[in-house]
Amino acid sequence: MTETSPIATAQILRTLHIVTWGCQMNVYDSARMADVLRPLGYRAVDTPDADMVILNTCHIRERASEKLFSELGRLRAVKDARGGAMTIAVAGCVAQAEGAEILARAPYVDVVVGSQAYHRLPALIAEVEAKRRAVVDTDFPAEQKFDHLPAQQASQGPIAFLAIQEGCDKFCTFCVVPYTRGAEQSRPAAAILAEAKRLVAGGAREIALLGQNVNAWHGDGLDGRTWPLARLLAELADIPGLARLRYTTSHPRDMDAALIAAHHDNPKLMPFLHLPVQSGSDAILQAMNRRHGVDLFRRIVADLRAARPDIALSSDFIVGFPGETDADFAATMHLVRETGFALAYSFKYSPRPGTPAAESPDQVSKSLKNSRLQELQAVLREQQHDFNRAQIGRRFDVLFTGPGRHPGQMAGRSPYLQPVIVNTASLVPGTIHPVTIASANPNSLMATLNQEQIAA
Ligand code: 5AD
Ligand code: SF4
């Protein structure tokens, strides 16, 4: 027998440190990379003084590569102090975008692995060890990475993330995602349902489905037909023990009638939706190649509120997109005031190399971007605080996840994703209890447990 048993392999303990920047998909990918490396004996540690360090990078906005190279500089010192005994890998969207350029600038890097090739990490590491030279893998393989990652995953706790879709074909003119994550790919329903069941068996009560364009999901269904997201959500809702479902991030164009209806029909779908609109000006939306106008967004919001009157909305905004006039920005402010958001993320436009908008001659000045961002964020902050204050006196179920910051407290999540704190220490993480909201801070809610029967 020449085969090494998995137990013997696992006995060679090696330390692994992963630094994650960027979106929830990167957080998910980092966890999957840890899963893929676990059978090789790698165990996660909190310090960069480790046998292997992975920097999982984000390219979406400013200064991605400066941040990467300054972190690499720090790591180089640690690697030198270890006499070179450290494998440094750069993963994620900067790795995908810059590939071998990274090795040219930082020759002490061992592996550059694009966001579609994580399942090939063990082979890449073996190649580095055997040939003592760096490797780059930024291909978009035909096989889907998620379906080549190990089924055995570390437990994520009561709130789990599950990637169902990756990539994007929309090519908004400001965005690098179609280039770094490739074409839209939907995982088959069977693989998603199997992963969801494993997550629930591992303690998940809430699952957030992830994708760059998650509501564009159209995967192979269990009946051999292509399913829309609403159908997948219905099937997921049947998993015993799973209490809550969410999906993020969505595009307005893909909010079809069935998905809006799911917010009425699917009792496990939480009344909260992140739906980026980016701008309230038709001219800017068109220049962004968003392929819809402000009216479509308004109509979706109205339909969602009709389907689920208690739904709360979150969004993304970009200010200072090339050519944005005072009137365009005023239209964004108007849309924000008229819609009312529970939460929102807003950014100054950042020209991304290789994207069409970066080439535009109508770039907006830094100072105008700054002042518009401040004006927008002031209103969004106020709306978030108003939304939190409006919860005072409301009763709803909270999914408790663990101890609060102070002794004697437990923390959990409201249906609207707000952190909720109670002054009770005896709740089991993963249980759901009805509470009444007592007070609101800008970013969290204080609550008391209701005396009635525990919800689950
Ligand atoms: N500049 C500023 N913000 C951007 N986003 C994406 N690309 C850029 C860019 N080039 C924002 C969008 C998107 C969010 C994830 O990041 O608002 O919805
Ligand atoms: Fe980027 Fe989203 Fe537009 Fe796709 S839909 S290009 S991910 S902003």
Side-chain angles (χ1 to χ4, degrees):
M1 287 286 286
T2 49
E3 262 181 42
T4 323
S5 81
I7 294 170
T9 316
Q11 279 165 348
I12 316 158
L13 260 194
R14 296 188 266 194
T15 50
L16 166 70
H17 182 62
I18 306 185
V19 179
T20 308
W21 291 307
C23 65
Q24 206 57 55
M25 185 65 98
N26 266 13
V27 176
Y28 181 86
D29 281 344
S30 289
R32 294 292 75 74
M33 285 191 267
D35 291 334
V36 121
L37 294 175
R38 201 168 299 114
L40 304 186
Y42 284 100
R43 295 292 177 272
V45 291
D46 282 341
T47 153
D49 185 1
D51 297 318
M52 173 146 188
V53 177
I54 302 176
L55 302 180
N56 192 5
T57 59
C58 169
H59 208 220
I60 200 127
R61 283 176 298 271
E62 229 116 356
R63 288 208 281 275
S65 23
E66 287 98 292
K67 201 158 135 187
L68 168 65
F69 287 106
S70 82
E71 189 65 28
L72 281 174
R74 272 197 290 277
L75 274 182
R76 178 193 204 166
V78 185
K79 184 169 179 165
D80 287 347
R82 292 171 58 95
M86 176 196 275
T87 306
I88 300 180
V90 179
C93 294
V94 180
Q96 189 68 53
E98 307 212 351
E101 298 276 308
I102 295 173
L103 293 182
R105 256 183 86 177
Y108 46 91
V109 168
D110 303 285
V111 179
V112 176
V113 56
S115 42
Q116 304 307 308
Y118 298 151
H119 54 297
R120 300 206 294 230
L121 262 175
L124 297 174
I125 295 171
E127 199 178 328
V128 169
E129 286 173 356
K131 300 191 182 152
R132 308 218 149 271
R133 65 170 169 82
V135 292
V136 178
D137 186 347
T138 50
D139 286 353
F140 285 108
E143 77 262 24
Q144 289 202 350
K145 86 173 177 207
F146 294 123
D147 299 320
H148 285 77
L149 289 169
Q152 210 53 48
Q153 297 172 5
S155 166
Q156 294 187 45
I159 297 180
F161 294 93
L162 199 175
I164 65 165
Q165 178 277 345
E166 192 170 21
C168 180
D169 296 335
K170 297 243 172 4
F171 290 91
C172 299
T173 54
F174 54 81
C175 187
V176 286
V177 166
Y179 311 96
T180 58
R181 293 277 175 167
E184 213 170 272
Q185 282 196 326
S186 295
R187 293 177 70 187
I192 296 166
L193 288 160
E195 187 168 332
K197 285 174 189 159
R198 283 194 299 272
L199 290 169
V200 172
R205 305 296 315 278
E206 171 173 320
I207 292 182
L209 306 178
L210 294 182
Q212 270 91 26
N213 221 191
V214 73
N215 61 339
W217 182 86
H218 55 287
D220 295 340
L222 299 182
D223 55 7
R225 294 165 193 238
T226 302
W227 283 2
L229 183 59
R231 180 77 178 81
L232 178 68
L233 285 164
E235 206 70 34
L236 285 161
D238 283 342
I239 297 177
L242 180 61
R244 295 173 161 198
L245 281 166
R246 307 178 187 278
Y247 57 94
T248 197
T249 289
S250 294
H251 192 289
R253 280 276 301 234
D254 297 311
M255 283 310 298
D256 61 31
L259 189 52
I260 292 174
H263 283 272
H264 176 268
D265 302 334
N266 189 327
K268 294 192 180 172
L269 200 49
M270 288 292 99
F272 181 82
L273 181 66
H274 183 64
L275 189 61
V277 62
Q278 315 295 358
S279 169
S281 151
D282 280 332
I284 295 297
L285 288 175
Q286 190 172 7
M288 286 176 165
N289 191 32
R290 293 288 291 177
R291 307 172 203 212
H292 71 83
V294 183
D295 262 0
L296 178 78
F297 184 78
R298 284 202 181 96
R299 206 161 57 237
I300 293 167
V301 170
D303 290 351
L304 280 166
R305 286 178 169 156
R308 183 80 204 235
D310 63 344
I311 200 163
L313 294 167
S314 146
S315 199
D316 289 343
F317 294 92
I318 295 177
V319 299
F321 184 82
E324 187 186 67
T325 62
D326 286 345
D328 293 321
F329 178 64
T332 298
M333 294 298 287
H334 179 75
L335 182 67
V336 167
R337 289 209 171 87
E338 143 195 343
T339 310
F341 292 96
L343 186 72
Y345 303 90
S346 46
F347 313 99
K348 286 182 273 190
Y349 169 69
S350 156
R352 310 314 296 143
T355 58
E359 309 299 324
S360 165
D362 299 327
Q363 301 294 328
V364 171
S365 73
K366 232 181 190 170
S367 61
L368 206 49
K369 283 187 201 170
N370 281 335
S371 60
R372 286 179 183 166
L373 188 70
Q374 272 179 24
E375 196 179 331
L376 174 61
Q377 288 189 337
V379 175
L380 291 171
R381 247 193 325 268
E382 204 175 302
Q383 290 193 344
Q384 182 179 341
H385 204 165
D386 285 350
F387 178 74
N388 285 353
R389 274 195 294 254
Q391 311 305 314
I392 297 171
R394 277 193 70 187
R395 301 153 77 91
F396 46 61
D397 289 344
V398 168
L399 168 56
F400 285 93
T401 49
R405 204 175 302 154
H406 301 294
Q409 291 185 334
M410 285 290 291
R413 291 285 170 154
S414 81
Y416 303 109
L417 271 185
Q418 300 133 308
V420 179
I421 316 291
V422 295
N423 286 315
T424 311
S426 55
L427 303 173
V428 179
T431 56
I432 296 174
H433 302 273
V435 306
T436 301
I437 303 304
S439 63
N441 303 315
N443 300 310
S444 63
L445 303 171
M446 293 297 299
T448 53
L449 282 179
N450 295 352
Q451 290 311 309
E452 69 216 47
Q453 196 57 43
I454 284 171

